[in-house]
């Protein structure tokens, strides 16, 4: 049998088809140069993520992409701008990208230019440009621009969204101002105008009366004579209380207070630990009473220079406090003796006190029972204005008032809506002496009920706040001048409900 030779031929298998595609994305910034650090997200059309890339250099490659339709979301390196291909702002507007098996889809995307805010600042009274300010953009970068030209402030390269700008005057001659809810659109300029209310400023120089040398680090505060509430101190950023300070490294004693609304004011000086006494600034040196202090009439747009503020060495007042009768000591560790506005001494268990750090002038003295059992009184009078003045001598302890505290009065009630029902939410009720404007109580509550204790016999005015309604004066008055006077009496309990004004 003949041999049969069989040869097996190796048949080449057909190449396996590629079942996925590739997407190559190049990203340029708005100037046309490669964006060095973009974030690129490949999404399904419904916004669900498929893949992400944050490669450096502006070029991103997605391999092994399942064939289908996709969208691209691109963010620049600092997160300022996020957009969808091709230069769209929302997923719904995005152009879809088709990926086919075995093919490469090339995408070139240029980032949209950032948005711009231009604000023109003018004086609300004169219309003149306001240049002496710092403008701070309240976004993540907190960008700040200080010193303007022609009242123009501009912020560029902003992301899409809503921003706000805080305007802080640097010369004290305008009030602070906020520009809120500024809509920023990519590639567009948002222009707006802001009218800034003018304010007054007060300057002076703090010096040692005896030597004439300047004194730095004395805290000087400006106080309204009608409602003399201390709203700030020298540790805050408020320009109504400032330390006297150096200029170019040389002690100067100079001080400038600003952002002061129109009105009549006094200056109070606390030399802190510098070895001088506190004072109200008088026309020719310090005084112990705001009512004999220099009156400063603040006119918006003007700077008032009061000249030298003369500091003197301190003295003290000493006396005895009793409660109820001349033999009962006051509540232990709860009774204090003060002038205005500083509480300076705690009454000892035996009722004695020494009020130190006072300038050598005649001072009114207030005794306060922190427990609320006894009335807080001004010695020798019904309020700070009518109180007796007690002279102080530098370097000595002079006789202060000996006082017997009477039983305190009470005022209580409810904050009600226009229908006589208790309001819902938080409330805040403040009491002010009707003669001096001194705040004598503050009750902040989460309910409609309020209560005050420890009241002396006096006339008062009441201001109250309700969440969602703001502040109003008793009997629906809009101002201190128009507020109704209420009389309270030591030892008595009075009930008074406060009603919101009718809805406008």
């Amino acid at each position: 049998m003949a041999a049969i030779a069989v040869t097996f031929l190796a048949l080449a298998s057909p190449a396996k088809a590629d079942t996925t595609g590739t997407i190559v994305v190049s990203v340029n910034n708005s100037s046309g140069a490669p964006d060095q650090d973009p974030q690129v997200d490949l999404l399904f059309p419904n916004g669900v993520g498929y893949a992400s890339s944050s490669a450096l250099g502006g070029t991103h490659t997605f391999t092994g992409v399942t064939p289908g339709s996709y969208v691209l979301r691109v963010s620049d390196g600092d997160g300022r701008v996020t957009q969808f291909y091709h230069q769209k702002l929302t997923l719904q507007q995005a152009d879809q990208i088709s990926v086919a098996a075995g093919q490469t889809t090339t995408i070139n995307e240029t980032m949209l230019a950032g948005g711009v805010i231009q604000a023109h600042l003018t004086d609300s009274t004169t219309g003149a440009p306001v240049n002496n300010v710092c403008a701070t953009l309240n976004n993540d970068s907190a960008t700040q621009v200080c010193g303007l030209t022609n009242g123009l402030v501009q912020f560029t390269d902003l992301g899409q969204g809503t921003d706000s700008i805080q305007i802080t005057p640097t010369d004290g001659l305008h009030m602070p101002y906020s520009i809120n809810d500024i809509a920023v659109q990519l590639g567009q300029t948002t222009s707006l105008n802001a009218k800034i209310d003018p304010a007054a400023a007060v300057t002076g120089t703090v010096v040692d009366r005896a030597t004439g040398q300047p004194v730095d680090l004395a805290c000087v505060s400006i106080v309204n004579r009608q409602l003399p509430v201390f709203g700030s101190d020298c540790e805050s950023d408020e320009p109504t209380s400032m330390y006297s300070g150096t200029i170019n490294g040389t002690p100067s004693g100079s001080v400038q207070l600003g952002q002061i609304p129109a009105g009549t004011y006094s200056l109070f000086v606390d030399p802190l630990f510098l070895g001088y006494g506190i004072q109200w600034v008088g026309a020719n040196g310090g005084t112990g009473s705001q009512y004999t202090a220099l009156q400063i009439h603040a006119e918006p747009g003007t700077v008032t220079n009061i000249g030298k503020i003369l500091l003197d060495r301190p003295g003290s007042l000493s006396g005895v406090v009793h409660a109820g009768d001349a033999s009962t000591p006051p509540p232990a560790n709860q009774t204090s003796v003060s002038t205005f506005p500083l509480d300076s001494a705690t009454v000892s268990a035996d009722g004695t006190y020494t009020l130190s750090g006072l300038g050598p002038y005649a001072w009114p003295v207030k005794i306060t029972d922190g427990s609320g059992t006894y009335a807080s009184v001004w010695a020798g009078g019904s309020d700070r204005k009518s109180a007796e003045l007690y002279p102080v001598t530098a370097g000595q302890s002079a006789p202060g008032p000996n006082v017997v505290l009477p039983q305190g009065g009470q005022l209580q009630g409810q904050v009600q809506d226009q229908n006589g029902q208790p309001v819902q939410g938080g409330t805040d009720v403040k009491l002010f002496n009707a003669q001096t404007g001194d705040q004598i109580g503050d009750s902040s509550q989460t309910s409609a009920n309020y209560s005050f204790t420890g009241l002396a016999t006096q006339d008062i005015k009441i201001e109250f706040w309700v969440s969602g309604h703001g502040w109003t004066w008793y009997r629906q008055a809009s101002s201190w001048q128009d507020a109704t006077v209420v009389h309270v009496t030591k030892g008595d309990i009075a009930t008074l409900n406060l009603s919101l004004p009718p809805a406008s």
Side-chain angles (χ1 to χ4, degrees):
M1 177 181 294
I4 301 174
V6 179
T7 301
F8 295 93
L9 300 175
L11 300 177
S13 301
K16 187 176 180 180
D18 191 351
T19 60
T20 63
T22 299
I23 301 176
V24 177
V25 182
S26 296
V27 181
N28 292 332
N29 60 31
S30 58
S31 299
D35 195 317
Q36 294 302 309
D37 191 22
Q39 170 78 26
V40 179
D41 300 310
L42 186 62
L43 312 174
F44 290 108
N46 62 2
V48 175
Y50 180 87
S52 296
S53 172
S54 56
L56 296 176
T59 300
H60 302 252
T61 301
F62 297 92
T63 59
V65 180
T66 302
S69 295
Y70 298 88
V71 295
L72 283 173
R73 180 175 60 204
V74 184
S75 301
D76 64 358
D78 58 9
R80 172 187 58 84
V81 175
T82 296
Q83 64 192 60
F84 295 85
Y85 176 77
H86 176 54
Q87 295 188 321
K88 302 297 192 302
L89 296 178
T90 66
L91 176 69
Q92 292 74 21
Q93 296 172 329
D95 295 339
Q96 293 191 13
I97 301 167
S98 296
V99 176
Q103 296 185 14
T104 296
T105 301
T106 300
I107 299 296
N108 295 306
E109 179 73 342
T110 298
M111 301 303 297
L112 292 166
V116 176
I117 297 175
Q118 284 186 347
H120 296 264
L121 312 183
T122 56
D123 185 293
S124 63
T125 300
T126 66
V130 176
N131 294 320
N132 295 320
V133 301
C134 285
T136 304
L137 184 67
N138 296 325
N139 60 9
D140 292 339
S141 65
T143 305
Q144 187 176 78
V145 176
C146 293
L148 310 183
T149 300
N150 296 323
L152 176 64
V153 59
Q154 179 171 286
F155 296 98
T156 61
D157 208 27
L158 304 178
Q160 181 92 3
T162 301
D163 285 326
S164 62
I165 299 174
Q166 179 64 40
I167 307 298
T168 304
T170 55
D171 60 1
L173 291 176
H174 287 88
M175 299 300 292
Y177 191 85
S178 294
I179 309 173
N180 299 314
D181 301 323
I182 307 171
V184 179
Q185 300 288 335
L186 296 180
Q188 298 183 21
T189 296
T190 301
S191 295
L192 48 90
N193 298 309
K195 295 183 177 181
I196 315 299
D197 289 335
V202 174
T203 63
T205 304
V206 182
V207 302
D208 183 305
R209 180 199 288 271
T211 67
Q213 294 300 306
V215 177
D216 287 352
L217 297 179
C219 181
V220 183
S221 300
I222 193 159
V223 184
N224 190 295
R225 290 178 69 94
Q226 183 179 77
L227 284 173
V229 178
F230 272 63
S232 61
D233 58 46
C234 286
E235 295 300 320
S236 72
D237 293 328
E238 298 297 325
T240 50
S241 290
M242 299 290 289
Y243 290 115
S244 57
T246 59
I247 296 178
N248 298 324
T250 302
S252 67
S254 63
V255 65
Q256 175 168 325
L257 309 176
Q259 298 179 18
I260 304 167
T264 303
Y265 297 85
S266 306
L267 288 183
F268 185 84
V269 183
D270 180 5
L272 301 169
F273 306 105
L274 302 176
Y276 298 95
I278 61 174
Q279 68 167 255
W280 291 98
V281 177
N284 298 293
T287 180
S289 171
Q290 186 182 15
Y291 301 102
T292 57
L294 177 69
Q295 293 191 37
I296 301 171
H297 301 285
E299 295 291 340
T302 64
V303 178
T304 300
N305 188 339
I306 64 166
K308 292 182 179 180
I309 299 171
L310 305 174
L311 298 187
D312 297 292
R313 297 300 174 180
S316 61
L317 293 171
S318 297
V320 181
V321 177
H322 290 96
D325 58 56
S327 62
T328 304
N333 300 317
Q334 297 187 64
T335 305
S336 62
V337 180
S338 66
T339 59
F340 179 86
L342 301 178
D343 289 342
S344 301
T346 299
V347 177
S348 301
D350 62 358
T352 60
Y353 70 87
T354 296
L355 185 59
S356 58
L358 305 177
Y361 328 113
W363 290 89
V365 177
K366 184 179 183 181
I367 300 91
T368 302
D369 169 28
S371 72
T373 303
Y374 299 96
S376 297
V377 300
W378 286 96
S382 59
D383 51 54
R384 181 165 59 95
K385 191 173 185 178
S386 63
E388 185 175 345
L389 301 179
Y390 294 85
V392 172
T393 301
Q396 299 182 23
S397 181
N402 297 323
V403 178
V404 177
L405 296 178
Q407 196 74 19
Q410 298 182 43
L411 179 65
Q412 60 191 19
Q414 192 176 76
V415 182
Q416 300 177 343
D417 63 19
Q418 296 88 343
N419 299 315
Q421 298 301 308
V423 297
Q424 302 299 312
T427 60
D428 192 354
V429 180
K430 294 183 178 181
L431 307 185
F432 299 86
N433 182 275
Q435 300 301 317
T436 65
D438 294 351
Q439 183 175 313
I440 59 174
D442 187 350
S443 175
S444 181
Q445 305 290 338
T446 57
S447 68
N449 299 318
Y450 75 90
S451 178
F452 294 92
T453 60
L455 299 176
T457 299
Q458 61 192 298
D459 290 335
I460 64 173
K461 293 186 177 184
I462 304 172
E463 187 182 30
F464 63 97
W465 172 89
V466 177
S467 178
H469 294 273
W471 289 96
T472 188
W473 292 92
Y474 173 55
R475 291 246 173 125
Q476 304 170 11
S478 59
S479 67
W480 157 266
Q481 291 88 343
D482 299 330
T484 299
V485 173
V486 176
H487 187 75
V488 293
T489 305
K490 63 183 181 181
D492 285 354
I493 300 176
T495 299
L496 181 68
N497 293 327
L498 310 173
S499 298
L500 286 172
S504 57

